[in-house]
Amino acid sequence: MIFVLKRKWDAEAVRMYQQEQVEGLEKQLKEAKQESKKAAIEAKAEGQHQKAIETALNLKEMGLSTHQIAKATGLTIDLFQFFNQTDALFSGF
């Protein structure tokens, strides 16, 4: 009788351990999905920002004023001027 109870307890312990493992893996998967989604959103925002900078530099080459460029791209005047100066520094390379 004791042997049967021990086996029952062992089987229950194994089932509980497996359930804990499954729950842990499900939690890790959920966290990984959230991190992946966050990274994708950040990458998209970075790409949009980079595109705005490229557009601003192209508009400058077309002769638009800083204020017009800032309005068209959504960049601040200070940020555009910073990238404009940076672009001028590296244009010789």
Side-chain angles (χ1 to χ4, degrees):
M1 177 80 170
I2 294 175
F3 180 71
V4 171
L5 290 176
K6 183 175 181 348
R7 286 189 64 192
K8 223 176 190 183
W9 182 85
D10 286 345
E12 181 64 19
V14 167
R15 188 194 65 73
M16 289 174 57
Y17 173 77
Q18 289 173 337
Q19 182 63 32
E20 290 172 1
Q21 293 296 310
V22 168
E23 290 171 0
L25 291 173
E26 287 172 346
K27 182 180 177 185
Q28 288 177 350
L29 179 61
K30 183 178 178 181
E31 290 171 356
K33 284 181 180 180
Q34 289 173 341
E35 286 297 317
S36 176
K37 186 175 182 180
K38 181 180 174 183
I41 291 169
E42 290 173 357
K44 182 177 179 181
E46 178 63 30
Q48 290 173 339
H49 185 73
Q50 182 63 36
K51 183 64 178 167
I53 293 167
E54 291 171 7
T55 300
L57 294 174
N58 288 337
L59 293 172
K60 179 190 175 276
E61 288 179 12
M62 294 171 62
L64 272 68
S65 73
T66 302
H67 292 285
Q68 290 172 319
I69 294 169
K71 187 174 181 178
T73 61
L75 297 173
T76 65
I77 293 172
D78 292 336
L79 186 60
F80 169 70
Q81 289 175 340
F82 170 77
F83 283 109
N84 187 31
Q85 291 170 356
T86 305
D87 186 54
L89 289 173
F90 292 106
S91 64
F93 290 100

